[in-house]
Amino acid sequence: MIWNQKNGILLFFVCTIFLFAIIPSYSQQNLERPIQLHPENPHYFLYRGKAVALISSAEHYGAVINGEFDYHKYLAALSAAGMNYTRVFGGSYVEDPGKSFGIRRNDLAPAAGKFVAPWARSDVAGYAGGGNKLDLAKWNPEYFSRLHDFLGEAARLGIVVEIGLFSSQYGEMQWNLSPFKRDNNVNGTDTIEWKKVNTLENGNILGYQEKYVRKLVREANRYPNVMFEIANEPWSDRPVLTDVVNPYLFSGRDQYPNSVDLPDDATMAWQARVAEWITSEEAGLAGERGANWHMIAQGCCNFLYAMRGVIPGVSVVNFHYAYPEAVTLNYGLGKALSYDETGFLGQSDDVYTRQAWNFMLAGGSVFDSLDYSFSVGHEDGNDVEANGPGGGSPELRRRLKILSEFLRELPLVDIRPDFAVVKHAGGVVTHTLSSAGQYALYLDGNGPAELSLNLPAGEYSVAWVDVVSGETKDGGRLKHAGGERVVLSPAFKNGIAMRIVRRESKE
């Protein structure tokens, strides 16, 4: 055949039709795989072909539901600071502006009429947070437009999003704003006490909860940077006192912040049902879009606890205000262990920096500080005036980036907690990760400190990392015949990191 322009045009149209015919099938079968536990080391994640840990100092979970919040600026600020994680609440829970938990400028507490819920507004006035009541039988296009835009932009920037489907109510204040409360919707939801919302004994609310979960799972299914948390702090509404942090207190030993409270049996049964909704919905979507399975996170408790087991389908265990022992006690579960929230200890960056290094160098998978420097009008994270009980700042994010980069240089697939390398560390607390010939240590406290190390024979390079400035100081070479060796650290305050790497023999 003689080639000419007419034949070229014909071939172009044939190829175009062929591509349109196969692309839908291709996209269904070859979606980017969502973040998952790393198959070789489930204490870290496999995301876009790399082993990763998640580090962030992020806003108070209202980025999508607060209509005044510019999440484009927020995500850009997170990315610029080197943060790769954020939490967002799905819309089933909302807080009261200026009142809930003493937070003055609260992203999770939209101003009157600014709550963008997953459900459409009815034509009946009377929602407690301003505007018309909600219609739980209809979805809100504005909300899902914001959700898709948020998740897509986060994916583009490499930021993983935990979608919190539910939360404890904590009291009447938040329950009075709940879409599920009868006064706030036109659907005649059953009148119940707020402590029963997240149980299977919540009347017809359960059916609306299921539809909401399945809808969010469907909408988020295409995004690789998503995981689902069943419920935020599920122990808070119906706590069961299980342990205490310090049993030697004379008084107040059974109260927060010393009590270890777990969800009661009714809450656990409801959480298991929610997990079933997530997994069954994604199973149904597998035939439509190709298998795109997302991790499920389960909240355990504040502080620390050795879990007796996890809900089927759960990959991530969340702790709040966690001690590094939360990792040690649960490492054998073979799950990701997450410090999913901190930020109620004032504005000092030092305390959150220390928490992050201690938890992650104990073998943690996620660290997330609740950052009140993100607020409406300050989505760039520069609202550094006092804002309730917590902190967060550009400085804290800069420090956390140092930790993130320190972890990124480690062989995460192979590294594990090591309790043998440090025999003694005078005046400080240490946490150590190691793999063959490589050791990463965090010394919490003030130095200089004398370390008694138990290392195999060999020649090592030593480096000290200032966790505030990020400056790395060469600690020289260490020639060692094996066994115990004493090393003196530089002077430091509020912690220092150390890296020891075995040098390759040239023989």
Side-chain angles (χ1 to χ4, degrees):
M1 176 168 47
I2 298 175
W3 184 262
N4 55 38
Q5 184 178 12
K6 184 175 180 180
N7 291 332
I9 293 172
L10 178 61
L11 179 61
F12 171 81
F13 278 110
V14 170
C15 291
T16 300
I17 293 170
F18 174 75
L19 285 173
F20 274 108
I22 66 168
I23 283 175
S25 174
Y26 178 85
S27 62
Q28 289 171 8
Q29 301 291 331
N30 296 276
L31 293 173
E32 182 181 347
R33 192 168 187 181
I35 184 170
Q36 59 184 293
L37 299 185
H38 200 290
E40 297 178 53
N41 187 352
H43 298 97
Y44 299 105
F45 304 100
L46 177 62
Y47 185 49
R48 294 179 173 171
K50 297 180 180 179
V52 297
L54 302 178
I55 306 288
S56 195
S57 184
E59 64 90 25
H60 190 206
Y61 322 141
V64 173
I65 69 169
N66 191 325
E68 293 186 303
F69 192 81
D70 186 343
Y71 52 78
H72 289 288
K73 283 186 179 179
Y74 165 65
L75 292 171
L78 275 191
S79 178
M83 306 292 95
N84 63 355
Y85 180 72
T86 189
R87 301 176 76 200
V88 63
F89 280 8
S92 65
Y93 169 86
V94 66
E95 293 183 348
D96 197 329
K99 296 180 180 179
S100 295
F101 305 102
I103 305 169
R104 301 183 186 110
R105 298 175 298 283
N106 185 353
D107 299 344
L108 196 54
K114 300 299 182 180
F115 173 34
V116 182
W119 303 278
R121 298 281 181 155
S122 70
D123 56 3
V124 179
Y127 172 63
N132 290 352
K133 294 184 178 185
L134 297 163
D135 186 343
L136 304 183
K138 296 180 180 179
W139 301 116
N140 179 6
E142 180 188 1
Y143 169 87
F144 288 100
S145 176
R146 286 178 65 88
L147 179 66
H148 283 294
D149 195 28
F150 181 87
L151 297 179
E153 181 69 1
R156 187 183 70 80
L157 295 171
I159 297 171
V160 174
V161 180
E162 179 189 81
I163 300 177
L165 296 169
F166 297 99
S167 176
S168 286
Q169 299 296 309
Y170 305 99
E172 291 288 348
M173 182 184 296
Q174 286 74 231
W175 174 234
N176 287 337
L177 293 165
S178 173
F180 297 129
K181 187 174 183 181
R182 186 183 185 93
D183 296 344
N184 291 325
N185 61 67
V186 295
N187 307 94
T189 51
D190 289 336
T191 301
I192 62 170
E193 64 168 329
W194 56 270
K195 291 187 177 183
K196 287 190 174 182
V197 180
N198 294 342
T199 74
L200 299 176
E201 300 174 2
N202 62 8
N204 63 357
I205 292 173
L206 189 68
Y208 290 111
Q209 289 178 328
E210 179 176 0
K211 291 177 182 176
Y212 157 79
V213 169
R214 292 183 180 277
K215 176 66 172 175
L216 262 63
V217 169
R218 287 196 303 274
E219 296 294 330
N221 184 255
R222 74 186 72 168
Y223 299 99
N225 58 322
V226 166
M227 68 177 79
F228 298 105
E229 183 186 41
I230 298 170
N232 175 68
E233 298 187 346
W235 57 87
S236 292
D237 285 357
R238 305 169 65 91
V240 177
L241 179 65
T242 305
D243 202 352
V244 294
V245 177
N246 183 354
Y248 302 109
L249 294 179
F250 287 109
S251 62
R253 70 175 66 187
D254 296 344
Q255 301 172 10
Y256 181 89
N258 196 52
S259 60
V260 176
D261 299 307
L262 298 183
D264 70 355
D265 289 344
T267 305
M268 290 301 298
W270 171 84
Q271 286 195 101
R273 182 72 61 85
V274 176
E276 289 175 3
W277 295 338
I278 297 169
T279 55
S280 67
E281 189 63 28
E282 290 207 313
L285 291 171
E288 298 179 25
R289 303 176 180 174
N292 211 10
W293 305 95
H294 294 81
M295 295 186 299
I296 300 174
Q298 173 188 342
C300 175
C301 61
N302 287 323
F303 313 131
L304 74 168
Y305 183 70
M307 294 189 70
R308 297 180 183 274
V310 299
I311 292 170
V314 164
S315 298
V316 182
V317 179
N318 288 342
F319 291 87
H320 286 191
Y321 310 95
Y323 290 79
E325 288 80 6
V327 177
T328 307
L329 291 169
N330 294 285
Y331 201 81
L333 291 175
K335 307 289 183 182
L337 301 169
S338 171
Y339 195 148
D340 205 40
E341 180 183 293
T342 187
F344 268 60
L345 289 174
Q347 287 190 279
S348 171
D349 297 320
D350 289 338
V351 64
Y352 306 118
T353 304
R354 293 172 65 188
Q355 287 177 346
W357 278 90
N358 275 311
F359 190 83
M360 297 306 292
L361 270 290
S365 314
V366 182
F367 180 84
D368 178 35
S369 180
L370 188 53
D371 196 323
Y372 294 104
S373 71
F374 292 108
S375 62
V376 171
H378 296 275
E379 292 87 350
D380 57 1
N382 284 305
D383 186 355
V384 294
E385 297 297 321
N387 187 12
S393 67
E395 169 63 15
L396 177 59
R397 295 189 292 275
R398 188 191 63 79
R399 294 189 189 187
L400 291 179
K401 185 178 181 181
I402 296 168
L403 170 59
S404 182
E405 291 175 344
F406 183 90
L407 291 170
R408 194 158 49 241
E409 293 177 4
L410 300 178
L412 295 181
V413 171
D414 302 316
I415 212 152
R416 302 289 189 278
D418 189 329
F419 300 99
V421 68
V422 179
K423 293 189 65 176
H424 182 71
V428 296
V429 175
T430 64
H431 291 99
T432 306
L433 298 171
S434 75
S435 64
Q438 185 162 172
Y439 305 87
L441 293 78
Y442 176 64
L443 286 60
D444 187 24
N446 301 318
E450 189 175 270
L451 303 178
S452 177
L453 303 179
N454 184 20
L455 295 171
E459 183 176 348
Y460 299 87
S461 296
V462 178
W464 297 95
V465 179
D466 187 315
V467 299
V468 174
S469 70
E471 179 184 0
T472 298
K473 181 179 180 180
D474 185 0
R477 295 186 182 183
L478 179 65
K479 293 183 179 180
H480 185 47
E484 186 175 348
R485 179 68 177 263
V486 174
V487 175
L488 183 66
S489 80
F492 62 91
K493 184 178 180 181
N494 291 325
I496 192 170
M498 179 185 189
R499 182 179 293 113
I500 306 172
V501 179
R502 185 171 183 170
R503 298 175 63 85
E504 294 293 331
S505 174
K506 295 183 180 180
E507 297 181 359

